[in-house]
Amino acid sequence: MTGYDHEQVQEFWQYVWEREDVYELADDATDPTYVLGMFPYTSGTLHMGHVRNYAIADAYARYRRMCGDDVLHPMGWDAFGLPAENAAYERASDPESWTQACIRRMREELETLGFGYDWSREITTCEPSYYRWNQWLFKRFHEAGLVEYDAATVDWCPDCETVLADAQVVERDGERGAGDRVCWRCETPVGRRELDQWFFTITDYADELDERLDDLEGWPDGVREIQRNWIGRREGARISFEVDLDGATTAVDVFSARPETIHGATYLAVSPGHDLARALAEEEDEDGDGDEDEEVQAYVDEVRDRGPDEVGYSGVATDARAINPVTGKSLPVYVAGYVLEDVGTGAVMGVPGHNERDHAFAREHDIPIERVIEPVDDANDADDADYQLPYTDHGTLTESGEYTGLETEAARERLLEDYDALEADVTYRLRDWLISRQRYWGTPIPVVHCDDCGPVLVPDEDLPVELPEFVRTTGNPLEEHASFRETECPECGGPARRETDTMDTFVDSSWYFLRFLSPDLEDAPFDPDRAEEWLPVDVYVGGDEHATLHLLYARFFAKALTDIGLLDCREPFRELESQGTVLYEGEKMSSSKGNAVAPEEYGAETTRLFVLSAAHPEQDFEWTANDVRGAYDLQQTLYGMVTSFVEGESGRSERLPRDEYVDREIDRTIAATTEEYERFRFHRAATEIQELAGLLRRYRGFGRPHEEINRRGLLTLAALIAPMAPHLGEELWNKLRGDGLVAEADWPDPGEFADDTEGTHAPDYRRERRLVETTLEDVRDIVDVAAIDDPERIDLIVADEWKYRTMEFLREGDANADSDRPGDDQRSAVERVAGALESDPELDTPTREAIARFLERSDAADARGESSSGSDSGAAALGPDHEHALLERAAWLVRDEFDADVRVRRADDGAAGGKARPGKPAIRID
Ligand SMILES: [Zn+2]
Ligand SMILES: [Zn+2]
């Protein structure tokens, strides 16, 4: 018998899927389930992270389709960006051809893996039909006041005469020791330069971006936390200090998250870019010779050249003095590189006793360090108080005048009330989004610079501003194109210069999920009516490295578009599945590390099944050839079973108890697998499939199986595995003469284990499984402990009915524990149980001794954690009739394992079941 060979069948099934339009979503679909994997960057070939990402999204999309949903599952290409430009530069090619070649290769790989995309909706961001809408949206954002043109400092290579992205600055060991920052291309030390740049004012939405994270319940907590920290909302106060400079007074505002520490302020510091620093640099210094303050100017220049990360806690004292608005004390004023221009107000009040960074600065510059907050449970020894600073926690104020003795919160409130110079305020770590890139392979920013009119937006009818042909140059190729650069002003018609910066590629990915709705629309970026119907994305799958930039920008776009009136969806992604990393010998698998495994190396479908069955999507997992083998073997097992069923002799038609067992186990497996798919636990779904396959093989080996039940089991396996291994699913389904394509088949029906209401199964399949499993384990234990070589007969005895009633009574009794009948709780438990049982004339009442023994054993079992009784998670045990019927049906498993006669009996019928309890039959072995 030949095994399953994915390579031989893949093309056929891909052809059939395409012919039948299985994955195409009709434009008039109402409320489809939108499943999206983050589209790939066109970097060359697929890597294992892609495979995992898309396998998760595809398995879920296929599962939802089989459940009857209309599914939108599109794919596209994040095609702009620097790597394409670099690759083109290195290969004497151009970014466009290189990118198109990558797309062809990656698309082929995706198809080999059997991902079911609606390719009619494919989008490519480097095509003018896509990026014209980046330009159009830039204009709408501009009209809405969300775009600014402002100076910003960038890394600059003086030799290449170009701006460098973070990724193009390389750290190298040099004369100044480790950490020299050099140009990646020519190794010239990197300088800093100030350029006018375009920004999206995402900070206008900082508050909402932060606040709505709480509502994103379908997102992993970890991702929300990372994003929350990135936004960095801090409450505090804006405090106004009067600064005396050359006899004139100016006000300098600082933001403090801890205004209650103001009595401990011992200096004021401003960033080198602060207006006050500029004014100080220009001011005459103390010797009165008319020169500017060279020391301040030199420091400002140094920080600009080296960047704030490089200057540590350096700083320079100035001639200015600041007045503490609360204490009236005069404080020295510093210009300090650790104070960042774009954080808060660009100025801080230095409280070295209670802030780590201020403390480090004060130590460096011999500034006094004062303690004004003490821990509430003052366990500190006064002698080493200094040693313990900075103290950054809450506490009680000390050395703070009339506020001494107040707790921090109360002191803050009082200070805010008492002084006009202090005003409650909120600040964010989030900065505006700099979208300008001084390079070629991106969306041209639709602006023309005119000497008379300033920056003018390109009229809508002239969009798109298309990229000219690529030229190889060390700088920005757009600067080299006179025909691109030189243009006329749309406003005055005079000569003007086109903006040569392009947009950050994150602009492309901030709204691409909207373009999939109507990819060919020519008069708008997306169809608002369809967006209303189809959004938000129901499930978004991607790596958690996108927790900040992409996911934050996309949320910002949705909010801005909604406020502009183009969309009505403030949160674009309802559920986010973030996936862990595929490791190889403990390291992230990547082509740059040389430890990448190509998806097709082990067979594309095996790889796909393996990445799903190896671990929960969020977990990292280790790639091992051995585990891959497991995924391969599962495919072969299923294929072999189906082949021998089809080719073998037919089965029985009369039904035996074991057929009922297998039939119901098929239902139980469907119910369990459904739950696992719902929760993206594909690894557990794979285990369920494996176990049902094992049971069916055993069933077949035990005796001639029931034809229809056997067939139903195999069809079920084909359907359950189809979302994870779609080609195999079709092969099995087809051999078994299933109806149509499995990709379009109905998800199998779990019979009476079907969901009534969400998440509850009645009856619970888990309890049935547990009864069978624990019974088998108990028989094994007894055979083992008693060293029985060859048991002849095994009796399984279901407990007396009164024991079930007792459990029920106790459970209800627990619920009514607060009985208001006095004296009730003094009656012994045995008496109460006996009383309850006697009230039922149908029941054979046991002796008091029997009740007492049963209660003792149940307590002991509870104490051992054997949760056979109703005590586990409050669930009721199966009734005695239910247990009896189930064990009768499962008896063949015991017979099969121990090769003995098996009888299932009831204590009520006179069998010796003294030890039997609900959920735990007595076992007698002869
Ligand atoms: Zn260079
Ligand atoms: Zn003009």
Side-chain angles (χ1 to χ4, degrees):
M1 193 193 333
T2 50
Y4 171 63
D5 185 354
H6 161 256
E7 269 180 55
Q8 295 218 319
V9 301
Q10 56 149 331
E11 266 180 50
F12 174 74
W13 290 115
Q14 285 159 22
Y15 162 76
V16 175
W17 291 331
E18 203 183 322
R19 189 189 65 198
E20 303 294 320
D21 286 343
V22 173
Y23 309 115
E24 259 187 50
L25 179 69
D27 281 338
D28 59 0
T30 48
D31 193 24
T33 298
Y34 192 169
V35 181
L36 186 63
M38 290 179 186
F39 69 163
Y41 189 69
T42 49
S43 56
T45 54
L46 290 186
H47 56 69
M48 211 47 74
H50 287 130
V51 176
R52 193 179 190 196
N53 184 349
Y54 303 135
I56 292 165
D58 191 56
Y60 188 73
R62 287 173 176 280
Y63 162 69
R64 294 305 326 171
R65 187 176 294 108
M66 291 172 77
C67 289
D69 293 9
D70 284 330
V71 173
L72 173 57
H73 187 218
M75 182 43 76
W77 311 103
D78 194 6
F80 268 143
L82 190 61
E85 209 167 325
N86 294 342
Y89 189 84
E90 283 160 17
R91 291 171 176 76
S93 168
D94 66 279
E96 164 104 52
S97 329
W98 189 80
T99 301
Q100 293 299 348
C102 289
I103 290 175
R104 279 193 297 277
R105 192 160 48 232
M106 291 170 81
R107 186 174 157 151
E108 202 171 293
E109 289 175 313
L110 292 176
E111 281 172 340
T112 302
L113 285 153
F115 296 132
Y117 297 121
D118 182 350
W119 285 111
S120 73
R121 296 177 185 277
E122 181 179 9
I123 57 175
T124 306
T125 59
C126 66
E127 285 171 1
S129 60
Y130 184 86
Y131 70 68
R132 70 175 293 185
W133 299 114
N134 284 342
Q135 297 171 340
W136 189 87
L137 290 168
F138 175 92
K139 292 191 62 187
R140 303 292 88 78
F141 278 31
H142 193 278
E143 287 158 9
L146 293 169
V147 176
E148 275 180 7
Y149 191 50
D150 221 342
T153 311
V154 291
D155 286 320
W156 175 263
C157 174
D159 193 49
C160 299
E161 295 191 323
T162 186
V163 171
L164 299 176
D166 282 350
Q168 293 177 312
V169 177
V170 182
E171 302 248 327
R172 187 192 63 177
D173 290 347
E175 286 154 31
R176 292 192 306 214
D180 259 11
R181 302 170 77 243
V182 300
C183 171
W184 67 295
R185 197 182 270 154
C186 67
E187 301 208 340
T188 307
V190 167
R192 310 266 294 168
R193 178 173 272 217
E194 217 169 62
L195 288 181
D196 282 335
Q197 313 257 286
W198 294 97
F199 292 85
F200 284 152
T201 56
I202 186 174
T203 52
D204 291 359
Y205 286 89
D207 212 10
E208 191 189 342
L209 287 166
D210 178 74
E211 205 169 305
R212 279 182 183 263
L213 282 173
D214 292 338
D215 304 333
L216 294 179
E217 283 165 11
W219 286 37
D221 290 342
V223 172
R224 289 195 282 175
E225 198 50 32
I226 291 169
Q227 198 163 110
R228 191 172 279 117
N229 289 333
W230 184 266
I231 297 166
R233 183 180 197 276
R234 287 195 306 156
E235 285 183 17
R238 184 179 282 259
I239 307 173
S240 187
F241 283 76
E242 282 187 359
V243 172
D244 180 45
L245 174 65
D246 275 351
T249 303
T250 102
V252 170
D253 284 356
V254 307
F255 175 85
S256 171
R258 304 200 60 193
E260 64 275 13
T261 62
I262 193 166
H263 289 84
T266 52
Y267 66 94
L268 188 93
V270 300
S271 71
H274 195 278
D275 288 346
L276 181 66
R278 289 176 209 260
L280 285 165
E282 284 159 16
E283 170 221 32
E284 288 180 16
D285 59 10
E286 277 172 345
D287 58 19
D289 58 9
D291 291 342
E292 58 189 16
D293 190 327
E294 285 168 12
E295 216 187 333
V296 173
Q297 186 61 53
Y299 182 71
V300 170
D301 290 345
E302 184 195 344
V303 178
R304 194 189 53 222
D305 290 346
R306 294 177 59 197
D309 296 344
E310 303 290 310
V311 297
Y313 289 101
S314 66
V316 55
T318 72
D319 303 338
R321 302 291 294 181
I323 305 300
N324 183 324
V326 172
T327 64
K329 264 200 253 173
S330 168
L331 306 175
V333 176
Y334 287 78
V335 177
Y338 85 97
V339 182
L340 300 178
E341 187 180 349
D342 54 359
V343 173
T345 62
V348 301
M349 67 171 187
V351 186
H354 303 286
N355 178 292
E356 307 269 0
R357 289 152 57 82
D358 296 350
H359 191 259
F361 185 80
R363 300 263 302 230
E364 191 107 0
H365 299 270
D366 286 327
I367 299 169
I369 296 168
E370 288 175 11
R371 161 185 291 262
V372 292
I373 309 281
E374 285 175 339
V376 178
D377 59 328
D378 199 3
N380 283 319
D381 193 329
D383 288 340
D384 57 21
D386 273 346
Y387 181 73
Q388 298 198 357
L389 294 177
Y391 176 73
T392 57
D393 217 336
H394 291 287
T396 312
L397 269 67
T398 181
E399 307 291 333
S400 296
E402 57 178 301
Y403 302 92
T404 297
L406 288 179
E407 296 207 1
T408 36
E409 279 297 319
R412 172 189 301 209
E413 274 173 39
R414 285 251 326 256
L415 280 158
L416 284 165
E417 270 172 37
D418 293 352
Y419 291 91
D420 289 342
L422 277 71
E423 204 183 318
D425 197 9
V426 173
T427 188
Y428 299 89
R429 180 176 171 271
L430 184 68
R431 309 268 57 91
D432 278 335
W433 175 11
L434 194 168
I435 63 158
S436 293
R437 296 291 179 273
Q438 289 72 33
R439 52 201 89 255
Y440 171 80
W441 197 230
T443 304
I445 293 175
V447 169
V448 166
H449 296 277
C450 168
D451 285 343
D452 294 330
C453 313
V456 179
L457 297 178
V458 174
D460 281 1
E461 58 270 25
D462 294 340
L463 299 182
V465 176
E466 285 200 43
L467 282 173
E469 250 177 48
F470 180 67
V471 291
R472 280 156 62 87
T473 163
T474 50
N476 179 353
L478 292 182
E479 302 264 14
E480 309 287 320
H481 275 279
S483 59
F484 177 82
R485 210 177 57 228
E486 307 305 332
T487 184
E488 65 183 35
C489 170
E491 227 149 76
C492 70
R497 199 178 55 80
R498 203 179 280 286
E499 172 69 64
T500 53
D501 285 354
T502 54
M503 293 184 199
D504 181 1
T505 56
F506 278 105
V507 175
D508 312 352
S509 53
S510 291
W511 66 279
Y512 77 109
F513 52 92
L514 292 164
R515 188 66 183 168
F516 283 131
L517 308 185
S518 39
D520 304 317
L521 201 61
E522 284 180 3
D523 55 1
F526 55 90
D527 180 336
D529 294 334
R530 210 168 286 168
E532 171 91 40
E533 179 88 26
W534 291 8
L535 285 185
V537 174
D538 292 282
V539 174
Y540 196 30
V541 185
D544 48 16
E545 69 271 22
H546 296 290
T548 49
L549 301 178
H550 165 58
L551 288 170
L552 192 66
Y553 294 151
R555 293 182 63 219
F556 158 64
F557 254 66
K559 290 168 184 43
L561 291 171
T562 300
D563 286 339
I564 291 169
L566 294 168
L567 185 68
D568 185 16
C569 177
R570 303 193 80 84
E571 288 295 343
F573 311 121
R574 191 175 55 79
E575 194 169 329
L576 179 71
E577 286 300 315
S578 69
Q579 41 144 2
T581 310
V582 184
L583 303 169
Y584 189 81
E585 290 174 350
E587 278 196 76
K588 183 173 177 170
M589 208 187 252
S590 81
S591 42
S592 63
K593 289 207 174 74
N595 63 358
V597 174
E600 60 281 359
E601 200 168 321
Y602 288 85
E605 198 160 47
T606 300
T607 298
R608 178 189 164 130
L609 183 58
F610 168 63
V611 296
L612 289 172
S613 56
H616 187 280
E618 280 186 35
Q619 287 169 338
D620 295 347
F621 73 86
E622 181 81 24
W623 177 281
T624 70
N626 211 23
D627 292 343
V628 179
R629 181 84 207 172
Y632 177 82
D633 288 347
L634 176 58
Q635 293 172 301
Q636 298 303 338
T637 299
L638 297 180
Y639 189 82
M641 284 170 71
V642 168
T643 307
S644 60
F645 172 80
V646 173
E647 292 171 0
E649 55 189 82
S650 58
R652 273 181 294 112
S653 55
E654 79 278 22
R655 284 171 87 103
L656 302 174
R658 69 170 184 270
D659 303 326
E660 296 305 327
Y661 178 80
V662 172
D663 207 21
R664 282 178 72 93
E665 184 55 27
I666 294 168
D667 291 344
R668 286 187 286 264
T669 301
I670 295 167
T673 309
T674 306
E675 275 189 22
E676 307 302 5
Y677 269 106
E678 285 292 334
R679 295 178 199 182
F680 296 87
R681 296 189 299 212
F682 306 108
H683 59 305
R684 289 167 71 162
T687 305
E688 288 289 342
I689 290 167
Q690 204 146 19
E691 283 175 0
L692 179 58
L695 180 78
L696 288 175
R697 290 174 85 172
R698 209 168 149 193
Y699 173 60
R700 194 158 183 270
F702 187 77
R704 200 164 158 226
H706 188 276
E707 175 76 10
E708 272 316 300
I709 290 171
N710 198 13
R711 181 167 184 273
R712 174 171 175 255
L714 294 168
L715 273 170
T716 299
L717 287 173
L720 296 182
I721 201 148
M724 293 194 275
H727 304 100
L728 175 69
E730 296 293 359
E731 277 294 301
L732 303 179
W733 191 256
N734 185 51
K735 273 176 176 283
L736 292 162
R737 304 260 176 277
D739 208 13
L741 291 168
V742 73
E744 294 182 308
D746 289 341
W747 189 248
D749 176 13
E752 66 175 294
F753 301 105
D755 274 345
D756 293 333
T757 56
E758 259 178 49
T760 59
H761 293 283
D764 187 344
Y765 66 87
R766 291 182 201 81
R767 260 178 286 145
E768 292 195 353
R769 282 185 166 177
R770 195 155 52 228
L771 177 69
V772 174
E773 276 161 25
T774 52
T775 303
L776 279 166
E777 275 165 26
D778 287 350
V779 174
R780 271 177 222 133
D781 280 352
I782 295 169
V783 167
D784 211 34
V785 170
I788 304 169
D789 280 341
D790 189 14
E792 262 179 36
R793 197 172 70 203
I794 300 172
D795 284 350
L796 308 175
I797 303 141
V798 175
D800 292 284
E801 179 153 12
W802 66 263
K803 292 182 178 172
Y804 294 83
R805 294 291 185 84
T806 301
M807 298 310 297
E808 222 169 283
F809 171 73
L810 291 178
R811 214 168 28 246
E812 280 161 16
D814 281 349
N816 302 325
D818 290 324
S819 168
D820 46 5
R821 280 169 296 164
D824 201 36
D825 53 342
Q826 272 111 30
R827 293 171 62 195
S828 80
V830 174
E831 284 305 317
R832 281 187 290 141
V833 168
L837 295 176
E838 276 158 11
S839 70
D840 184 349
E842 304 269 298
L843 212 59
D844 290 336
T845 308
T847 63
R848 299 288 193 277
E849 289 74 24
I851 295 175
R853 257 199 321 275
F854 173 62
L855 292 181
E856 247 168 59
R857 285 214 185 99
S858 297
D859 283 350
D862 278 352
R864 286 197 303 273
E866 290 174 16
S867 47
S868 60
S869 67
S871 62
D872 64 316
S873 63
L878 304 167
D881 296 339
H882 194 145
E883 281 195 16
H884 184 259
L886 177 56
L887 289 171
E888 287 253 273
R889 294 193 298 261
W892 69 280
L893 292 170
V894 184
R895 186 169 305 143
D896 188 40
E897 185 170 340
F898 300 98
D899 195 22
D901 278 347
V902 178
R903 288 193 307 188
V904 181
R905 309 176 65 196
R906 296 183 66 153
D908 288 324
D909 298 336
K915 287 184 178 171
R917 300 202 313 270
K920 211 166 166 60
I923 295 163
R924 207 187 126 87
I925 302 180
D926 293 317

